[in-house]
Amino acid sequence: MATTEPARPGFQLPLLLLAGFRTLIDDLHAELARQGHPELRPLHGFVLQAVGADGTTATELGQRLGISKQAAGKTVDRLVAVGYLARVDDPQDARRRLVMMTPRGADGLRRSAEIFDRLREQWADTLGPERVDALEDDLRTMAAANWFRLDVPGWFGG
């Protein structure tokens, strides 16, 4: 008995969602580079958000991102080298060092938010605002309640 493949095979849905995500992220980073942030990579946005305004330790950062302390340390080293993060003494505990966001890191996050707003507007111009609203509503319905998670780097890495 011959089986026919569905007109829309199930494997295409996650690939199309990933392609949409990749398109937004690639467009974001191209614009960030034009605006003076060519060093920022997709992982770095998660790192900057995980560091937050109050800072964190490399161990805590690794836990938040779902990666090892060593991987977090390497990423911090890179972001310190290009001016997005700084290591400082913890004022509460002299034995600890904190990772803090620099003004350059905060600027990169601020610009990212502004660019994402413009990219969303571009999608609304192409697809129509109602369709983009509906797409977001539908994705919220299907996504887990804690859909915004900083551990995506660790999840992708396996």
Side-chain angles (χ1 to χ4, degrees):
M1 171 164 42
T3 59
T4 60
E5 290 195 27
R8 294 177 181 244
F11 71 87
Q12 286 185 358
L13 177 60
L15 294 176
L16 288 168
L17 289 169
L18 182 60
F21 172 78
R22 176 76 190 254
T23 298
L24 286 167
I25 297 302
D26 287 349
D27 290 349
L28 166 75
H29 285 278
E31 184 58 27
L32 280 171
R34 282 190 284 278
Q35 292 186 23
H37 292 279
E39 307 89 354
L40 284 179
R41 300 291 175 260
L43 168 66
H44 299 157
F46 288 99
V47 173
L48 293 173
Q49 290 178 55
V51 167
D54 297 327
T56 189
T57 66
T59 299
E60 291 166 347
L61 181 62
Q63 290 169 347
R64 291 176 187 175
L65 296 172
I67 60 177
S68 69
K69 176 184 174 183
Q70 293 79 10
K74 281 185 171 184
T75 303
V76 168
D77 288 344
R78 174 71 182 131
L79 290 173
V80 166
V82 294
Y84 290 93
L85 295 176
R87 287 191 173 92
V88 300
D89 292 329
D90 185 341
Q92 307 298 322
D93 184 347
R95 298 167 296 170
R96 289 179 10 141
R97 300 271 291 160
L98 291 179
V99 176
M100 299 292 295
M101 194 176 340
T102 65
R104 182 162 175 74
D107 182 65
L109 276 184
R110 180 188 57 77
R111 288 176 189 265
S112 292
E114 292 170 358
I115 294 165
F116 273 133
D117 287 343
R118 285 197 300 277
L119 291 171
R120 188 189 186 284
E121 287 174 19
Q122 290 174 5
W123 279 43
D125 289 345
T126 300
L127 301 173
E130 301 82 14
R131 290 196 59 190
V132 173
D133 289 350
L135 174 62
E136 289 175 339
D137 292 344
D138 290 345
L139 289 171
R140 276 189 194 91
T141 297
M142 297 308 296
N146 61 340
W147 61 270
F148 181 71
R149 296 176 50 175
L150 293 172
D151 68 346
V152 170
W155 180 81
F156 264 122

